[in-house]
């Protein structure tokens, strides 16, 4: 089962819909995660902005390891897409490594790839 997870200061939320847009306050040294199940060749399009630099990744768990097909450090914005070759649960995660809160606005949506 895949749902949204967050750092200690953020509550557990229901699973993400096919298209999501949110603005959140990310506490200092905490993370926020949006997880969803993707079929093979189902693309996820994403973008985000933050005034404070954050770490961002898309990851999945396989064979007892965490795999990071997308991983960026100290970014204030990014947009892109990811097309998995295999069906699995995938998570978009933002980590605030700063000592102050970060206002984070993000969106993502899934599309069928042809």
């Amino acid at each position: 089962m895949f749902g949204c997870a967050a750092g200690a200061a953020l509550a557990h939320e229901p699973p993400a819909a096919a298209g999501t847009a949110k603005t959140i306050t990310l506490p200092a040294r905490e993370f926020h995660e949006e997880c969803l199940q993707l079929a093979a060749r189902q693309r996820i399009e994403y973008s985000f902005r933050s005034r404070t630099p954050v770490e961002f990744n898309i990851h999945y768990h396989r064979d007892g390891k965490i795999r990071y097909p997308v991983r960026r450090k100290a970014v204030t914005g990014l947009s892109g897409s990811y097309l998995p070759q295999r069906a699995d649960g995938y998570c978009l995660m933002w980590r605030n490594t700063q000592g102050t809160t970060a206002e984070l606005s993000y969106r993502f949506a899934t599309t069928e790839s042809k």
Side-chain angles (χ1 to χ4, degrees):
M1 176 161 114
F2 290 91
C4 299
L10 298 174
H12 186 73
E13 297 178 21
T20 299
K22 292 184 182 177
T23 297
I24 64 166
T25 299
L26 189 55
R29 296 179 182 44
E30 294 290 341
F31 70 91
H32 179 74
E33 189 172 57
E34 293 273 1
C35 298
L36 62 158
Q37 187 70 33
L38 294 176
R41 311 293 300 163
Q42 186 178 28
R43 181 182 311 274
I44 185 164
E45 308 263 348
Y46 60 89
S47 66
F48 71 89
R49 290 268 173 236
S50 173
R51 287 188 207 151
T52 306
V54 295
E55 292 180 358
F56 171 75
N57 70 67
I58 296 177
H59 68 273
Y60 60 94
H61 301 257
R62 189 170 303 144
D63 302 324
K65 295 182 181 177
I66 302 174
R67 316 281 176 150
Y68 297 92
V70 177
R71 195 174 202 177
R72 304 288 186 272
K73 292 187 177 188
V75 292
T76 57
L78 188 66
S79 64
S81 65
Y82 173 66
L83 179 63
Q85 299 303 306
R86 177 175 165 174
D88 212 332
Y90 295 86
C91 298
L92 295 91
M93 188 171 95
W94 298 266
R95 181 179 306 275
N96 181 1
T97 60
Q98 307 300 309
T100 60
T101 61
E103 292 297 318
L104 175 67
S105 295
Y106 63 90
R107 68 151 201 89
F108 65 91
T110 58
T111 58
E112 296 300 322
S113 184
K114 298 180 184 187

